[in-house]
Amino acid sequence: MLVTMKDFDVMKITNSGQCFRMNELEDGSFEVVHNKHYLNITPVGYDETTGLFSMEFDCDEAELDSVWKPYFDMETDYELMVSMVDEDDLFLSKAVDYGRGIRILNQDPWEMLISFIISQRKSIPAIKTSIERLSAMCGEVLKTKHGLRYAFPEPEKIAGLAEEQLKECGLGYRASYIAEAAKRVASGEFDVYGINKLPDEELRESLMSLKGVGKKVADCVMLFGYRRLDSFPVDVWIKRALDEKYPTGFPFEKYSGYGGIMQQYIFFYMRDTKTIWK
DNA sequence: TGCCAGGCTTCAC
DNA sequence: GTGAAGCATGGC
């Protein structure tokens, strides 16, 4: 069905580094696997005067409403967020303009936890490869028009793998972290969904109690898996931006409630241009 | 081919 | 509490 809305640039979202299971296909369409769901999106057009993107979503209205509107955060007004940017902050203004069309996805907490444990000291293409291997190894098979795809494996599935199998996914030294996290979640000791009720600080502490989860990984899981929009993950790109552009500190208070969204614009801008802007 | 990747743990000091 | 070494492997 045809979907038309502002601030939905599927190409930028695919390349934004927040989700690892979204890909551009050879026919110019995009696919995404989310829980047991698969979606193909074909960009149709963009109207510069209205800022409206038109896309063909390969799903019915019920699935759009129940699955994809929440996933793509389609009820949030990003134009409003963008309008809140301090116009004297030339760097942030430029970053937001560059990344306009990115949205913060509402992804599965368990998948985010494992994905970002994998992410440490890996490039984004390498992260995607590992996650695909892991999913193909023990995730549910999804039959799609574009071939077989695999859902991200449940905790019990990963907990049931031998560490040797995990290493076949190219996880390296992270294999033991993932094995341990999966066992703690599968056993019920670590309630990866239940901790969503905790306030930010306690949620972060809880996540960091897992081996292989430091502050940066916890912040990514919080932002992309638990929708904690004040979470502001600082990786090498963000650190560079903060050091160069905000020597006296980033004005978090100005963007209270959605700082993580600003973080995502900055990350995309820094990484995509691969340039240090002075 | 060598370098680096959306960092973390461990261990000095 | 802070800083530096070591880490497995894939992608460019």
Side-chain angles (χ1 to χ4, degrees):
Chain A
M1 58 182 301
L2 188 68
V3 174
T4 300
M5 72 178 303
K6 289 186 175 180
D7 292 294
F8 196 129
D9 189 323
V10 64
M11 170 89 82
K12 287 183 189 175
I13 294 171
T14 299
N15 295 320
S16 66
Q18 61 174 308
C19 60
F20 305 108
R21 308 213 61 203
M22 220 170 148
N23 293 102
E24 184 173 7
L25 302 181
E26 287 184 1
D27 64 0
S29 69
F30 295 80
E31 66 173 13
V32 58
V33 177
H34 166 54
N35 293 341
K36 314 286 187 200
H37 303 282
Y38 175 87
L39 178 67
N40 187 267
I41 300 175
T42 303
V44 176
Y46 173 66
D47 186 331
E48 280 194 30
T49 58
T50 61
L52 288 169
F53 291 87
S54 300
M55 299 156 282
E56 184 63 32
F57 276 43
D58 186 19
C59 70
D60 60 27
E61 191 162 3
E63 187 179 336
L64 177 68
D65 288 343
S66 65
V67 179
W68 302 113
K69 277 188 179 175
Y71 179 78
F72 285 111
D73 199 22
M74 290 167 76
E75 304 294 341
T76 298
D77 184 355
Y78 281 75
E79 192 169 32
L80 180 62
M81 306 274 184
V82 167
S83 71
M84 302 296 278
V85 173
D86 178 0
E87 59 184 18
D88 292 330
D89 188 336
L90 300 181
F91 173 73
L92 187 57
S93 299
K94 203 166 180 177
V96 166
D97 187 53
Y98 189 86
R100 192 76 193 264
I102 289 176
R103 314 180 77 81
I104 300 292
L105 306 184
N106 288 295
Q107 303 183 74
D108 180 78
W110 162 246
E111 179 176 343
M112 290 300 95
L113 174 61
I114 298 304
S115 296
F116 280 97
I117 290 176
I118 292 173
S119 79
Q120 58 186 268
R121 299 297 287 174
K122 266 186 180 294
S123 66
I124 289 175
I127 297 165
K128 294 175 84 161
T129 299
S130 282
I131 292 173
E132 284 312 314
R133 284 192 202 167
L134 186 59
S135 300
M137 184 174 281
C138 58
E140 186 173 313
V141 179
L142 307 175
K143 290 177 183 168
T144 81
K145 288 179 186 170
H146 298 270
L148 296 182
R149 297 293 185 272
Y150 304 90
F152 189 81
E154 287 111 358
E156 300 75 25
K157 297 275 183 56
I158 296 180
L161 294 176
E163 198 151 314
E164 198 169 295
Q165 289 177 289
L166 281 174
K167 290 204 169 175
E168 285 172 21
C169 301
L171 302 175
Y173 66 89
R174 307 162 194 79
S176 63
Y177 300 158
I178 289 160
E180 189 178 319
K183 281 168 188 162
R184 287 185 63 183
V185 173
S187 72
E189 180 207 336
F190 190 94
D191 188 354
V192 72
Y193 295 103
I195 58 175
N196 191 28
K197 68 177 185 296
L198 298 175
D200 289 3
E201 291 307 318
E202 291 176 40
L203 175 59
R204 182 179 292 107
E205 265 182 47
S206 179
L207 290 168
M208 287 178 67
S209 75
L210 294 164
K211 209 167 179 183
V213 180
K215 185 169 189 306
K216 190 269 169 183
V217 167
D219 282 344
C220 283
V221 177
M222 287 172 68
L223 180 57
F224 305 127
Y226 295 91
R227 193 173 180 75
R228 301 306 170 99
L229 298 183
D230 274 316
S231 182
F232 195 98
V234 177
D235 73 323
V236 288
W237 294 104
I238 296 295
K239 184 178 186 320
R240 191 175 303 165
L242 296 188
D243 288 347
E244 298 260 334
K245 307 307 297 185
Y246 303 95
T248 60
F250 185 80
F252 294 107
E253 68 287 351
K254 275 186 191 166
Y255 307 106
S256 180
Y258 53 99
I261 296 179
M262 298 301 152
Q263 181 275 354
Q264 193 58 21
Y265 286 128
I266 296 172
F267 174 78
F268 182 75
Y269 179 56
M270 294 296 289
R271 182 173 169 276
D272 213 55
T273 56
K274 290 188 182 296
T275 308
I276 301 171
W277 298 89
K278 299 187 176 176

